[in-house]
Amino acid sequence: MEQNTRMEKDTMGTIAVPADRYWGAQTQRSLNNFKIGTERMPIEVIRAFGALKKAAALANLKLGVLDERRAMLIANVCDEITSGALDAHFPLVVWQTGSGTQTNMNVNEVIANRGNELAGEALLHPNDHVNRSQSSNDTFPTAMHIAACQETKALLLPALDLLYGTLDGLSQAYQDIIKVGRTHLQDATPMTLGQEIGGWAGMLSACRDMIQSALMPLSFLALGGTAVGTGLNAPLGFDQEAAAVLSRETGIAFAPASNKFHALSSKDAMVFAHGALKTLAADLMKLACDVRLLSSGPRCGIGELLIPANEPGSSIMPGKVNPTQCEAVTMVAAQVMGNDVTVGMAAGMGILELNVYMPVCIYNYLQSVRLLADGMHSFNDHCIAGLTPDRAVIQGYLDRSLMTVTALSPLIGYEKAAKIAKLAHEENLTLKEASRRLGFLSDEAFDSAMNPANMVFPAEKRNA
């Protein structure tokens, strides 16, 4: 069935547009000319544009360059955009102009056409009114920063806090379980399971601090720089007024960038912030790899931890359970690390006064945020929250460990302690039996020194 259309015009002429959509000629030209991939401009960017355009309209109103009726009409449509009511009217793909101009115009056209529908007359022009005091070159990087801050705060940090809280609880619960530590995948001195899990929790706590710090540069906005950073066609004070409105609307403290030439041409704040996401990805990969290694088995691996049996692990091996949540998290981490390369390369293409790789930059940033947030929720709920120790296996490894011999070094020296360990290993003896055979220590002195409970805390805690 043939689609109903209407005719829209821009400076290049007229073009047919779907009759039931609010976008105009420039959006339609982009749809026709960029049939590349399936990746749409993230809706988070569109909703950030909604907040931005409202802020711009209210700033223009206050500064006397836009009348109240038009400003409030724009603001009302922007509220519809940020609520998600107009999501279907933003169809453009990521793979478009690198400045994001077509998405900026998509937003301008939707606001103008929807606003005119609400007004019952043609009051709004997408360029003259909705885009007043702005350029795509300063609005798109501003929308990038808004969306990045909003999604990081709304999605990523709560998921990070959830997983941290679960790990911290497990760490406290298992401080009494003494186990073999391992370095280089070889037996090392004892520690507690709580300490090991506490190390994982510590990674996430450090990542949270890094991410919070990395959000600060994203709070500075390019808006007010217009085309190349000079602020041509923007009234004095526009950037401050718009940033103040955005801060009120979003609850995030935004401020104008002090150097608009830098803000338009460089995407270093995105690189810095995504670097913190990559740091989290690296730590999540380490955490997931540790969990699947310690839970390997159940009979022919390490087997110190038991993971939830969520689903059958094999189509051919009955009863097999796999660490699927760990695998999902490590795949997420790999994707985020790849996204970081893309963000870095995109930022490096700030040619003269403008970066022209902005859509792919924000697409990858937001994908990383979503994947990390979803991955941490899934990992927490379906793996970490159900993680339990196999105390018998842990005790068995501790009883057979040779590296507790380290506690003898202060008494008999490194070389004699090494001889005890080597003899015990070569002849399948206990350390005590090897010590007795070599005659380095009395059984009483050996027993006094070889209490694993005295090996797992620093001296000040042992003596407390």
Side-chain angles (χ1 to χ4, degrees), residues 1 4 61 63-64 67 116 191 214-215 228 245 247 284 292 318 323 344-345 347 411 444 454:
M1 187 171 63
N4 290 328
L61 171 63
L63 296 171
D67 63 273
N116 290 336
M191 65 191 305
L215 287 177
V228 298
V245 176
S247 299
L284 288 173
R292 64 179 169 187
M345 291 185 67
L411 300 178
E444 292 76 15
N454 292 331

Side-chain angles (χ1 to χ4, degrees), residues 368-404:
S368 291
V369 167
R370 286 192 300 272
L371 289 177
L372 288 168
D374 290 350
M376 284 188 288
H377 274 291
S378 184
F379 192 39
N380 179 81
D381 296 348
H382 301 295
C383 183
I384 298 300
L387 208 60
T388 55
D390 190 323
R391 291 175 181 262
V393 169
I394 290 172
Q395 188 63 48
Y397 286 139
L398 183 64
D399 292 342
R400 296 194 300 275
S401 174
L402 298 176
M403 288 303 101
T404 51

Side-chain angles (χ1 to χ4, degrees), residues 69-126:
R69 188 180 180 197
R70 287 188 172 91
M72 299 314 298
L73 200 55
I74 292 170
N76 290 338
V77 178
C78 288
D79 287 341
E80 292 185 351
I81 292 174
T82 55
S83 75
L86 300 180
D87 286 357
H89 300 272
F90 302 99
L92 300 187
V93 295
V94 171
W95 321 108
Q96 54 166 278
T97 172
S99 63
T101 297
Q102 291 150 12
T103 287
N104 180 48
M105 286 308 303
N106 182 191
V107 176
N108 290 337
E109 290 173 344
V110 168
I111 293 172
N113 284 331
R114 172 59 176 158
N116 290 336
E117 180 181 72
L118 291 174
E121 59 179 309
L123 281 180
L124 297 178
H125 186 279

Side-chain angles (χ1 to χ4, degrees), residues 321-345:
V321 174
N322 292 333
T324 52
Q325 290 295 320
C326 298
E327 292 160 7
V329 168
T330 53
M331 286 192 288
V332 164
Q335 182 65 50
V336 171
M337 291 174 186
N339 287 351
D340 193 70
V341 174
T342 300
V343 170
M345 291 185 67

Side-chain angles (χ1 to χ4, degrees), residues 411-412 415-417 419-420 434-442:
L411 300 178
I412 62 175
E415 293 189 7
K416 287 183 177 180
K419 287 180 180 180
I420 292 174
S435 173
R436 185 184 298 130
R437 183 179 297 183
L438 291 169
F440 292 154
L441 283 169
S442 67

Side-chain angles (χ1 to χ4, degrees), residues 177-244:
I177 301 178
I178 301 173
K179 57 161 288 179
V180 173
R182 296 178 178 87
T183 59
H184 303 270
L185 288 179
Q186 304 296 306
D187 301 346
T189 56
M191 65 191 305
T192 72
L193 180 59
Q195 288 170 331
E196 188 166 46
I197 296 175
W200 300 339
M203 293 190 308
L204 297 189
S205 178
C207 283
R208 193 187 203 287
D209 290 343
M210 294 178 204
I211 292 168
Q212 286 278 34
S213 297
L215 287 177
M216 178 56 70
L218 291 175
S219 69
F220 297 108
L221 305 179
L223 195 63
T226 64
V228 298
T230 61
L232 179 66
N233 290 350
L236 182 65
F238 172 79
D239 53 353
Q240 289 94 344
E241 289 294 338

